[in-house]
Amino acid sequence: MAGGTARGTVGVDGRDIAYLKAGDGARTIVLVHGFGADHQTWAFNQPQLARGATTYAIDLPGHGRSGKDVGNGDMAVLAGAVAGFLEAMELTGVHLVGHSLGGAASVLAAARTPERVSALTLIAPAGFGGAVNGAFVQAFLAMTDEASAMHALRYLVARPELVSPAMAAGVLAAVSASRGAMARIAEAVFDGDRQRVEVRDVAAGLAGPVQVVWGEKDAVLAIPEGVHAEIVPGAGHMPQMEAARVVSGMIERV
Amino acid sequence: MDQDFVMPSLGVEIEEGVVRQWLKAEGESVAAGELIVVIGTTKLDMEVEAPFAGVIKKILVDVDDVASVGTPLAVLTTG
């Protein structure tokens, strides 16, 4: 792809925030993964997006190659990491794309640095009301082997038969390396089936366009009532992976 | 005319994939955009569409075999 890919790390609030950069186009897209994931959430999207933009897929604190210190693990830490990344990299006119908990973090980051964010795409975002599937969070944090990893991942996608053994092994390794940090975040943002995070009003107050995208068969965060979302047919909680081309197109359209 | 159907670009930092399932057999025709093969990646497995129409003349990479992005997976006879 144009400009190739490059890994990097930048210091934010005393934490290392890792990112994968792809492309060198005039537009700037920053991709923020959800709870328990990392920049690879966007592996199927980044090549397409990088054809017309400079894209950065970041790792949130406690995830991927970023630092494991998450402080008290609450939204201020996660949103601070996203906003701090934009500041540290001196990015402006950013289209911020957040998935799930990363969607809530993106809304709060946009509110904190409105001069740097021009548009938002939120994919099955947390913080818009409705329940979270607490059984998924519990199963995710409790995975100890490939079978239990596979069990947890089955909540995420509408067609679990497409979860590859390599994906289960990769997620198991990631959770094993970050279980404490992830548990702290889960404790701070979820309470069983209840979300402690609420960003809908903040999103409504943002100046730029906010596009919301949701998988038709999401079993982790159901589409809350009253939210206007672009529906991705047949997809679960990971539409950016389950219907990569469709969702990449939705992102490019903004 | 014979034309190679190659392993498509799978994703950033994903250089190769494994053939999980051929959805078409040798001798069968496939339309452009029709699903032709399931490729296993380090993430979700991917159902791949045929980029052009043709009849499958020969499958070059068997199920469970690994191929790099850009490697011919099958030969199709077109037009």
Side-chain angles (χ1 to χ4, degrees):
Chain A
M1 71 200 74
T5 64
R7 289 180 172 210
T9 304
V10 64
V12 174
D13 298 335
R15 302 181 174 91
D16 281 345
I17 299 298
Y19 62 91
L20 182 71
K21 180 184 178 188
D24 57 5
R27 301 176 57 187
T28 304
I29 299 176
V30 174
L31 303 155
V32 185
H33 65 79
F35 169 73
D38 61 30
H39 69 280
Q40 293 179 52
T41 287
W42 310 104
F44 295 165
N45 313 104
Q46 221 175 340
Q48 179 173 338
L49 299 175
R51 291 197 306 232
T54 305
T55 70
Y56 301 86
I58 70 169
D59 289 340
L60 287 169
H63 294 75
R65 293 180 296 112
S66 287
K68 300 297 181 206
D69 164 38
V70 297
N72 63 10
D74 67 9
M75 289 312 297
V77 172
L78 301 180
V82 176
F85 177 81
L86 304 184
E87 287 162 4
M89 300 293 286
E90 299 180 353
L91 304 177
T92 54
V94 173
H95 180 183
L96 202 46
V97 179
H99 172 238
S100 196
L101 194 59
S106 296
V107 169
L108 298 175
R112 210 178 106 167
T113 55
E115 71 284 1
R116 296 187 181 277
V117 179
S118 60
L120 279 176
T121 293
L122 308 172
I123 301 169
F128 274 67
V132 63
N133 189 334
F136 158 72
V137 177
Q138 214 167 16
F140 191 87
L141 289 171
M143 67 171 72
T144 52
D145 54 24
E146 212 166 290
S148 49
M150 196 60 102
H151 167 70
L153 292 178
R154 282 175 189 279
Y155 288 96
L156 283 173
V157 294
R159 295 176 58 199
E161 69 273 17
L162 294 182
V163 175
S164 73
M167 181 177 181
V171 171
L172 174 63
V175 172
S176 301
S178 301
R179 205 181 304 264
M182 289 178 183
R184 184 168 290 222
I185 291 170
E187 173 68 24
V189 300
F190 305 130
D191 174 18
D193 287 337
R194 196 176 70 82
Q195 301 191 53
R196 297 186 204 267
V197 43
E198 169 58 57
V199 301
R200 202 157 156 176
D201 292 346
V202 179
L206 295 173
V210 178
Q211 169 176 243
V212 180
V213 174
W214 229 294
E216 176 197 19
K217 296 180 174 172
D218 195 322
V220 171
L221 280 172
I223 306 174
E225 273 183 44
V227 170
H228 173 73
E230 300 282 333
I231 302 301
V232 182
H237 188 57
M238 308 286 291
Q240 74 276 20
M241 240 182 215
E242 299 174 79
R245 202 160 41 169
V246 171
V247 173
S248 296
M250 289 174 168
I251 294 169
E252 285 179 316
R253 213 169 55 196
V254 171
Chain B
M1 189 182 87
D2 289 350
Q3 195 171 342
D4 285 344
F5 162 61
V6 303
M7 179 71 90
S9 170
L10 297 169
V12 68
E13 294 184 318
I14 304 177
E15 308 301 330
E16 60 181 27
V18 58
V19 173
R20 293 242 193 268
Q21 188 188 356
W22 281 104
L23 302 172
K24 297 282 175 182
E26 286 180 1
E28 279 191 90
S29 63
V30 60
E34 198 178 356
L35 298 179
I36 181 170
V37 66
V38 181
I39 299 297
T41 75
T42 49
K43 298 274 137 194
L44 287 185
D45 290 353
M46 195 179 277
E47 293 170 315
V48 177
E49 297 170 0
F52 52 86
V55 175
I56 299 188
K57 183 177 181 183
K58 180 145 187 65
I59 286 174
L60 304 172
V61 179
D62 291 328
V63 169
D64 291 340
D65 284 351
V66 174
S68 303
V69 170
T71 305
L73 298 177
V75 182
L76 272 66
T77 304
T78 61

